[in-house]
Amino acid sequence: MSASFAPALSAAREAASHQHYPQGALFVVATPIGNLADITLRALHVLALVDAVACEDTRHTQQLLRAYGIERPGAQLLAVHQHNEAEAAGAVIEHLRHGLRIAYVSDAGTPAVSDPGARLVAAVRAAGLPVVPLPGASSITTLLSAAGMTQEGGFVFAGFLPTKAAERERAVVLLAAEPRAVVLLEAPHRIEALAGALAALGERLVTFGRELTKQFEDIVTLPARDGPAWLAGDANRLRGEFVVVLHGASVAADAGDDQRVLKLLLAELPLKTAVKLAAEITGRPKNTLYDAALALRKSEDEA
C-alpha cells in the first residue's frame, strides 16, 4: 500500500462502517478510471468488508486492492468477464444465497455501463436478490463535464461504433440526425478511423478525451472536420483509451452545413426522410431543404 492511502482506509472505516450493508447482496462498485485517488470512501470500506470480489480481471483487481492496502487471497477473487458472465453469474448467485456479500468491479470505472456487469446484475435481480450500487468514477460523465456543451436536451451514450468502415460510416450518418450530444468510446488503434468518419460532419463540434484523469490527460474541442489533423499533429495522441463527445447539432447551421448534412443523409435514406431529418438537425425550413435535396440529386445524376 502507498503510505498516502493509509489515512484513506482509516477515513473509510470512520465514515462508512456505521451504514447498512445487507448480507446476500451484490455491491456494484465503481473504481478509478486512471487516478487511484478517485476511489470513494464507501468503495474502500465495501471492498474490505465483502466476502469476495467478482471482477473483470483478477490480476488487475488484485493489484488495485493491494494499492489501497486491502489484501485478499486468490480464492476470494471471482473472474466474471464478458466471455463467462452468464455462466459465472450462477456461481455468484449461489454465494449470495448463502448470505455472502459480493462486490463486483470492472477494470476501471462504473461496471455494467460499457464494461461487463449488466448480465450479472440482471441475473441477481431475477433471482430476487438485492443489488447495491456504489457510484464513483465514469469516463462518460468525466468528459461530459469538461466538454462545455451549451445545447439543451441531454446526451446519448452510443459506446463503440462498428469496426467495419462501411458500417461505421452508416452509423455516423445516423449520428448526424441526432440533435443531442453523443458519447462514444474508442480504442487507440481505431481512433484515426473514427475521427475520419466523424470529419464528414464538418463544423459540428467534437470533444476528444484521451487518458482521462491520468498524467498525460488530453482534452480538446474542435470542429469534426479538424479531428484527423489534430490526431496527426502528435504521435502521442494515438496512445491511450479515448472518450469522444459529439456535441449536439446547432440549430443555426449555415448553407454549407445544409449541403453536408443532406449529402450524408441522402446517401442512406429516401429523399423525404432525409429532408425531414435535415430540418430537425439544421433548423432550416423543409421546403428550402427539399429544393436543395432535389438540386443535389440532379447534380449527382448529371455527373
Side-chain angles (χ1 to χ4, degrees):
M1 173 180 57
S2 169
S4 60
F5 286 111
L9 272 180
S10 177
R13 286 190 294 269
E14 182 64 26
S17 63
H18 303 295
Q19 299 175 21
H20 178 56
Y21 301 96
Q23 292 183 319
L26 177 70
F27 297 85
V28 183
V29 182
T31 56
I33 60 176
N35 192 319
L36 288 178
D38 289 338
I39 193 75
T40 70
L41 294 180
R42 193 156 68 113
L44 284 176
H45 180 69
V46 165
L47 290 173
L49 171 73
V50 295
D51 299 290
V53 179
C55 46
E56 186 177 0
D57 185 323
T58 56
R59 290 171 297 179
H60 176 88
T61 298
Q62 186 72 278
Q63 293 175 353
L64 180 70
L65 294 175
R66 285 175 176 166
Y68 295 125
I70 301 171
E71 288 291 339
R72 285 193 173 277
Q76 293 182 5
L77 297 179
L78 312 175
V80 181
H81 46 73
Q82 63 177 347
H83 302 296
N84 77 341
E85 190 172 356
E87 302 80 28
V92 171
I93 289 170
E94 282 304 304
H95 288 309
L96 297 176
R97 283 176 172 158
H98 284 85
L100 300 184
R101 299 182 180 98
I102 307 290
Y104 180 74
V105 299
S106 60
D107 284 349
T110 302
V113 178
S114 177
D115 294 336
R119 289 180 179 176
L120 173 61
V121 169
V124 171
R125 288 203 174 280
L129 297 163
V131 176
V132 181
L134 273 68
S138 164
S139 62
I140 299 166
T141 53
T142 295
L143 188 60
L144 281 170
S145 70
M149 297 182 304
T150 57
Q151 298 92 343
E152 297 180 356
F155 69 93
V156 177
F157 175 59
F160 291 89
L161 292 189
T163 57
K164 294 182 179 179
E167 294 177 5
R168 184 171 51 242
E169 289 173 4
R170 282 195 291 271
V172 170
V173 167
L174 295 177
L175 294 184
E178 174 56 67
R180 295 167 293 182
V182 181
V183 183
L184 305 169
L185 303 178
E186 194 51 274
H189 64 281
R190 290 197 300 263
I191 189 61
E192 288 179 294
L194 175 62
L198 292 176
L201 300 181
E203 292 297 315
R204 188 149 172 192
L205 291 180
V206 176
T207 296
F208 291 91
R210 184 182 70 86
E211 292 288 84
L212 293 176
T213 79
K214 299 178 183 178
Q215 181 179 358
F216 299 107
E217 176 182 86
D218 208 352
I219 300 174
V220 63
T221 298
L222 36 71
R225 58 176 168 75
D226 294 337
W230 177 76
L231 287 172
D234 185 342
N236 289 320
R237 291 174 184 160
L238 300 180
R239 299 175 181 175
E241 299 298 319
F242 279 83
V243 185
V244 178
V245 173
L246 175 64
H247 290 229
S250 171
V251 297
D254 59 24
D257 289 329
D258 294 350
Q259 295 289 314
R260 278 189 291 271
V261 170
L262 280 171
K263 285 181 180 179
L264 281 167
L265 296 177
L266 286 169
E268 300 291 336
L269 301 170
L271 188 142
K272 288 186 177 180
T273 304
V275 168
K276 179 177 181 294
L277 290 175
E280 293 177 3
I281 294 168
T282 65
R284 299 286 187 179
K286 286 185 181 179
N287 290 341
T288 301
L289 292 172
Y290 190 83
D291 292 341
L294 288 175
L296 280 172
R297 281 281 171 87
K298 183 178 180 181
S299 63
E300 290 172 358
D301 292 340
E302 294 174 349

